Amino acid sequence: MTAIATDVRRPTEDRAIGVAPRQLPSWDYLEIGFCYARAVNDQYGLRLFANALIRKSQERQT
């Protein structure tokens, strides 16, 4: 399973097109995406998956 940046949209993208935000993928999926982005030195992917992991951790706390 590989994670690609199109699988995780930013919250602003959802608001821009007027749809409800999608639920974030599982922790494993986000961590794999982050590691893959790091391996290929994809700066956009690193930011995207890091922010998604932060949002996922905030979901747990609420």
Side-chain angles (χ1 to χ4, degrees):
M1 171 176 66
T2 59
I4 56 174
T6 56
D7 293 331
V8 182
R9 287 198 313 237
R10 294 174 290 177
T12 52
E13 292 173 343
D14 289 322
R15 287 188 203 112
I17 59 175
V19 298
R22 288 190 289 185
Q23 185 175 0
L24 289 170
S26 68
W27 275 95
D28 293 337
Y29 192 81
L30 293 174
E31 288 174 347
I32 290 168
F34 183 81
C35 291
Y36 180 78
R38 179 68 180 109
V40 297
N41 201 25
D42 175 11
Q43 296 300 313
Y44 173 77
L46 280 172
R47 284 192 308 267
L48 180 76
F49 285 106
N51 289 332
L53 284 165
I54 291 168
R55 288 197 324 262
K56 189 77 167 177
S57 69
Q58 291 171 343
E59 284 179 1
R60 275 189 178 178
Q61 295 173 359
T62 58

